[in-house]
Amino acid sequence: QVQLVQSGGGSVQAGGSLRLSCTASGYTASYSFMGWFRQAPGKEREGVAVINTSAGSTDYAASVKGRFTISRDNAKNTLFLLMNSLKPEDTAMYYCAAGNFWSLLPYRYNHWGQGTQVTVSS
């Protein structure tokens, strides 16, 4: 079993920054990729960023590329998402996830964090 516990998030004005964290426990060797996803009210969950937990390679959704940075501290089994230049359209519930596919598609992931709200005001 894998448990993912998120922290961070909150409310910020447009142009501001926030950092999300996601700490994994349990059988952390069972997955090779981790990602961040978000879901706004009335919309489908979408992939934001993904990282290969061993190689460190990353990929981003076009909407966040250049503004968001995904990273991982393997010694602490913790995943991060640094969000800069936030926009009101970034407002959503953000989730971390772990799985065995290099993908920004939510259905490829089988372990999920509890979610944390990010609200960006104009």
Side-chain angles (χ1 to χ4, degrees):
Q1 285 286 357
V2 175
Q3 296 80 39
L4 303 176
V5 178
Q6 298 179 222
S7 60
S11 297
V12 66
Q13 289 191 327
S17 298
L18 286 172
R19 191 178 79 159
L20 307 181
S21 300
C22 172
T23 300
S25 61
Y27 189 38
T28 57
S30 65
Y31 56 86
S32 300
F33 305 98
M34 295 191 76
W36 287 100
F37 298 80
R38 67 186 181 186
Q39 188 167 16
K43 294 188 176 181
E44 293 186 355
R45 190 170 299 188
E46 63 175 356
V48 172
V50 60
I51 188 168
N52 181 315
T53 57
S54 56
S57 48
T58 60
D59 195 18
Y60 298 89
S63 58
V64 307
K65 194 170 292 185
R67 300 188 298 122
F68 290 12
T69 302
I70 187 172
S71 62
R72 175 171 165 85
D73 183 336
N74 285 338
K76 298 182 179 179
N77 284 328
T78 300
L79 180 73
F80 302 101
L81 183 69
L82 177 61
M83 305 181 290
N84 294 323
S85 303
L86 281 161
K87 304 175 181 180
E89 51 264 43
D90 295 318
T91 295
M93 186 71 77
Y94 282 71
Y95 299 88
C96 63
N100 284 304
F101 291 92
W102 174 254
S103 176
L104 286 171
L105 298 174
Y107 78 88
R108 290 291 194 180
Y109 293 78
N110 48 8
H111 305 289
W112 290 87
Q114 81 276 18
T116 186
Q117 179 68 36
V118 171
T119 302
V120 185
S121 58
S122 58

